[in-house]
Amino acid sequence: SGTPSTSVLASMRRACEAFDLLSARDLAALAEEIFRCVEADPRTASQLMEIVAGVGVLAEAGVTPSAMAMRALHGMATAPSAVEDGLAEEVSMFAPWLSAPDIVRLLTDVVNNSDVPLERQFEVLAQLRTTTATDREDSDGDAALLRNAFQQAEALTVL
């Protein structure tokens, strides 16, 4: 394993002023600290995602651009005080970074959360659908997984 380079850590600190390098004693604690920054201010996620992209040691710890985008969108979509203005733009900005499993997880969390207003559920669903390629050609079956997830989410929001 190891640790990220000093320049990666310095870049993360610049992107998230609340980043507490001293609390990141090991890789697991560092991952928690990165996710804490994303959850505290989802708008810093895009900068942090660019910084961590391709850093293998962080990916091994679960800190991937997809995981960060999912946490940022989850926080924006499910927060009781979520601001409706700009949510569509945020979803379309983060959606390309999401892996198929993270898209499914986000859809599930938003649609199954009775505290999320129905309008917001529809907005997240619509934006994810329009910004996510469900016709991907891959060996993992992501396209079928996404089509199924979108169909189920639509059915649940209509009920």
Side-chain angles (χ1 to χ4, degrees), residues 55-137:
V55 179
V57 69
L58 290 174
E60 290 173 19
V63 181
T64 64
S66 179
M68 295 172 75
M70 203 282 287
R71 290 213 186 188
L73 286 174
H74 186 276
M76 287 186 266
T78 61
S81 61
V83 178
E84 302 301 325
D85 292 341
L87 182 60
E89 290 82 17
E90 298 293 342
V91 173
S92 44
M93 178 180 73
F94 288 122
W97 291 92
L98 292 169
S99 67
D102 282 338
I103 291 169
V104 172
R105 191 173 308 116
L106 180 62
L107 281 172
T108 302
D109 289 350
V110 170
V111 171
N112 289 333
N113 188 336
S114 60
D115 293 333
V116 176
L118 192 57
E119 297 86 24
R120 197 176 319 149
Q121 291 179 18
F122 278 123
E123 183 173 10
V124 170
L125 176 61
Q127 286 301 318
L128 281 175
R129 182 183 279 289
T130 59
T131 57
T132 303
T134 56
D135 59 350
R136 304 180 197 186
E137 292 203 20

